[in-house]
Amino acid sequence: LSLVGSEMCIRDSFNRSLFHINFCNNKRNNDLMLDTKNFEKTLYQDTKKAFKNIIQKYGNDLYVMGFYHTGSYSLLPMFNTLSDLKKVFEAEYNNDVSSFYMAKWNPEDYPMLEDYSEYFDETTLECQKLEDSIDLFQSDIEAMDNWHQWLTTMEKVLIQLDAEGIFSNGIEREKITLAILAYDEEESIQFKRIKRLNPPTVLAQIQADFEAMVSEREKCEQEALNAFN
C-alpha cells in the first residue's frame, strides 16, 4: 500500500472504532435513562382530572398548583387557597410577618395537601415501577440524572396542561403559580423551576417572596458557619 493508502486505512479504522465507542456509550446512556413514557402519560391523565375538579371547586381562591414530592419517587397533587393560607398563618404562625413566606410556600402547611391523593393512584403505581427499574448499583451521577429526568417529566406535564388552557379556564392564569415543591428543597432551586413553568406576569408577583426566602436562608447558613468557626 502507498503511504496515502495506509493513512486512509488507519483513518477509516479509527473512525470505525470511534463510531463503535460512541454507539456503545449512547446505548449505555439510553439503557441507564428512565423510561418515563408511561409515567408521563398517566401523570397527565390523573393531573388533568384532579386539577379540573380542584379549579371547579376553589376557582380564584387558588394561588398555587402543581406537585409536591418528598425527595423520593412519589408525588401528590399540590394546591393551596388564599383562604387556607390566611387560616394557617393565623393559627400556626400567629400572624408573624417574618414567617409569612413559610406559610405561603411550604407545602407541609397546605391543609388539603393529601385531599386529592386518590386521583393519583395510577400515577403512584407508575412511580413505583420507575423506582423498581433503577439500577441499585448506579453511580451518584446516574442517580442524579434519573432524578432530574423524573422532575423534568413533571414539568412537561404542567407545561402541556397550561398550553391546553387548564389553568385559565374559569380562573385567572396570572394569579396562579405553577410549582413543583418539596419542604426541604432550597428556595433558589425551586424558583428556577417556577421560572420555567410560569409567564412573566406571575413571576413579577412572586419574585420578591423567593428573593426574601433565599436571602433568609443565606443569612442563616452564614450565621451557622460563623458559629462553627
Side-chain angles (χ1 to χ4, degrees):
L1 289 175
S2 67
L3 182 58
V4 173
S6 297
E7 288 177 347
M8 290 179 64
C9 289
I10 294 172
R11 185 170 64 247
D12 289 343
S13 177
F14 174 77
N15 287 337
R16 285 195 299 270
S17 298
L18 187 60
F19 173 82
H20 178 72
I21 292 171
N22 288 334
F23 175 81
C24 291
N25 285 338
N26 289 334
K27 184 178 185 303
R28 180 174 181 273
N29 289 336
N30 289 333
D31 289 342
L32 291 171
M33 288 181 66
L34 292 175
D35 184 358
T36 57
K37 287 182 293 186
N38 287 337
F39 167 63
E40 182 177 343
K41 179 181 178 181
T42 304
L43 180 61
Y44 168 81
Q45 294 171 340
D46 288 352
T47 304
K48 188 172 186 177
K49 183 186 299 183
F51 282 10
K52 276 187 174 181
N53 288 332
I54 292 169
I55 290 170
Q56 184 176 12
K57 184 172 183 178
Y58 298 102
N60 283 319
D61 198 24
L62 295 161
Y63 72 88
V64 61
M65 298 186 76
F67 303 125
Y68 168 76
H69 70 84
T70 60
S72 62
Y73 288 90
S74 64
L75 61 93
L76 290 170
M78 177 197 72
F79 68 97
N80 202 19
T81 64
L82 295 171
S83 299
D84 279 330
L85 171 60
K86 183 178 180 180
K87 293 175 185 177
V88 168
F89 186 50
E90 181 178 352
E92 303 294 334
Y93 294 89
N94 297 316
N95 289 326
D96 179 4
V97 176
S98 64
S99 300
F100 178 71
Y101 302 125
M102 179 66 73
K104 186 177 181 181
W105 297 111
N106 182 5
E108 291 285 300
D109 289 319
Y110 296 173
M112 295 178 286
L113 182 61
E114 298 189 24
D115 284 7
Y116 285 75
S117 60
E118 69 271 13
Y119 282 84
F120 276 40
D121 286 346
E122 294 299 320
T123 292
T124 299
L125 290 175
E126 289 300 326
C127 285
Q128 187 60 56
K129 290 177 183 178
L130 283 179
E131 192 165 21
D132 291 343
S133 71
I134 294 174
D135 183 359
L136 296 176
F137 300 102
Q138 65 182 351
S139 68
D140 290 343
I141 293 177
E142 291 164 352
M144 189 59 66
D145 286 344
N146 285 338
W147 179 246
H148 284 304
Q149 185 184 354
W150 186 66
L151 289 173
T152 298
T153 302
M154 285 192 277
E155 287 187 40
K156 287 170 63 178
V157 167
L158 289 178
I159 290 170
Q160 182 177 353
L161 290 172
D162 194 17
E164 294 174 4
I166 292 294
F167 305 109
S168 54
N169 186 7
I171 55 176
E172 298 178 53
R173 176 62 181 91
E174 63 270 18
K175 293 184 178 180
I176 296 290
T177 298
L178 298 184
I180 300 169
L181 301 177
Y183 79 98
D184 60 346
E185 191 174 48
E186 291 185 13
E187 294 79 11
S188 59
I189 296 174
Q190 291 178 346
F191 193 49
K192 286 181 180 178
R193 192 180 301 129
I194 286 172
K195 286 180 179 178
R196 296 193 291 268
L197 294 171
N198 294 276
T201 51
V202 171
L203 299 177
Q205 298 175 57
I206 65 173
Q207 184 168 347
D209 291 2
F210 280 88
E211 287 178 347
M213 289 189 290
V214 170
S215 178
E216 181 64 24
R217 178 182 287 271
E218 290 175 348
K219 178 182 176 182
C220 291
E221 290 176 348
Q222 188 59 51
E223 289 177 351
L225 185 61
N226 291 341
F228 181 78
N229 293 332

